Amino acid sequence: MMSVVGAQPFIKPMQPSPSVSPGIQRRHTLPASEVRPLNTQDAISVFEIEREAFISVSGDCPLHLDEVRHFLTLCPELSMGWFEEGRLVAFIIGSLWDQDKLTTEALTLHKPRGSTLHIHVLAVHRTFRQQGKGPILMWRYLQYLRCLPNVRRAVLMCEDFLVPFYRKSGFKVVGRCAITVANLTFTEMSYPISGHAYMRRNSEAIRFPQHPLTLPLTKTDEQVDV
């Protein structure tokens, strides 16, 4: 499993909040929005979102529940979840791969020494679609990958109608994917991972050395559309 303790993504140390009278403090401590790695306790929420998003369109899910748990056990640091007041609203799950092209084995294997990040799935809860959350989460995920020294590129496979969506995030078409699922065929796309992670203008999210991916979301992020 890759170590990310040394990876220093992009969170500016949070300024201490001004003292607030106990009488007007929030009744809970859940942040309004946060992005963090997923864990096996999130698996059911992940699968429920994924099942609703994919089965009605494709008839199957990229990852079944046991496969979600599998990857969140092997490489949770390669996942990212967006939470609103503790509720999962969007997520990405990835694993490492060690070949130039995706093969059927890439659907279930994690290759810790690989330099290719295989993005298995990006999904957004139906209540939160058409709000720009998918592109925002992908942007943050790709920036995070820049902080992992062994990762050289990100790849994914998608149905043809999703190619324009991923192109907007900077992915380029590699060609027809060798993997087929039932009658479905896919396009393989790739994104080069190079340079340093950077923040958006006016974003307060810059770096956090001890807890990778725990990113408080900013108004700038939430205003981006799909």
Side-chain angles (χ1 to χ4, degrees):
M1 184 179 297
M2 291 183 57
S3 170
V4 295
V5 174
Q8 296 194 1
F10 27 104
I11 284 280
K12 184 167 71 176
M14 301 299 291
Q15 298 298 322
S17 345
S19 58
V20 179
S21 168
I24 59 173
Q25 287 182 343
R26 296 178 69 179
R27 294 185 179 181
H28 60 79
T29 58
L30 292 174
S33 295
E34 71 167 339
V35 175
R36 64 163 174 81
L38 298 167
N39 57 58
T40 54
Q41 294 180 342
D42 301 312
I44 292 177
S45 296
V46 165
F47 184 64
E48 287 176 348
I49 293 173
E50 183 193 18
R51 181 173 55 186
E52 188 280 329
F54 284 92
I55 285 187
S56 61
V57 177
S58 304
D60 200 1
C61 294
L63 297 175
H64 294 168
L65 181 56
D66 59 338
E67 294 167 331
V68 171
R69 290 191 172 117
H70 171 71
F71 286 116
L72 295 186
T73 299
L74 287 179
C75 47
E77 73 280 6
L78 300 179
S79 67
M80 183 178 280
W82 183 334
F83 293 79
E84 296 278 359
E85 296 189 346
R87 177 188 183 187
L88 181 66
V89 301
F91 68 88
I92 293 173
I93 293 178
S95 66
L96 289 178
W97 184 238
D98 61 357
Q99 298 181 29
D100 291 338
K101 296 289 186 68
L102 293 174
T103 67
T104 303
E105 289 76 15
L107 299 179
T108 55
L109 297 182
H110 168 58
K111 298 286 190 176
R113 297 182 182 276
S115 60
T116 294
L117 191 290
H118 174 204
I119 298 175
H120 292 272
V121 57
L122 160 65
V124 179
H125 191 284
R126 63 181 180 275
T127 306
F128 296 88
R129 291 174 197 155
Q130 304 302 317
Q131 299 177 22
K133 284 182 166 53
I136 293 170
L137 189 63
M138 179 62 79
W139 182 89
R140 286 176 171 268
Y141 189 73
L142 294 173
Q143 294 310 305
Y144 169 66
L145 296 182
R146 294 174 187 269
C147 302
L148 304 180
N150 296 329
V151 176
R152 295 290 177 265
R153 65 182 183 130
V155 298
L156 56 82
M157 59 185 228
C158 66
E159 293 182 71
D160 290 347
F161 73 92
L162 286 172
V163 168
F165 172 83
Y166 288 112
R167 273 185 168 146
K168 290 179 180 178
S169 292
F171 285 82
K172 294 185 178 180
V173 172
V174 174
R176 183 58 58 186
C177 186
I179 301 170
T180 59
V181 178
N183 295 323
L184 297 176
T185 60
F186 304 94
T187 296
E188 186 167 331
M189 305 189 74
S190 178
Y191 179 96
I193 304 297
S194 60
H196 301 286
Y198 59 93
M199 65 173 183
R200 295 188 178 191
R201 184 184 302 178
N202 300 326
S203 173
E204 295 179 357
I206 304 180
R207 62 177 68 244
F208 48 91
Q210 297 300 323
H211 301 286
L213 298 181
T214 307
L215 307 174
L217 298 171
T218 67
K219 291 182 179 179
T220 302
D221 287 334
E222 293 182 348
Q223 290 170 350
V224 176
D225 293 326
V226 174

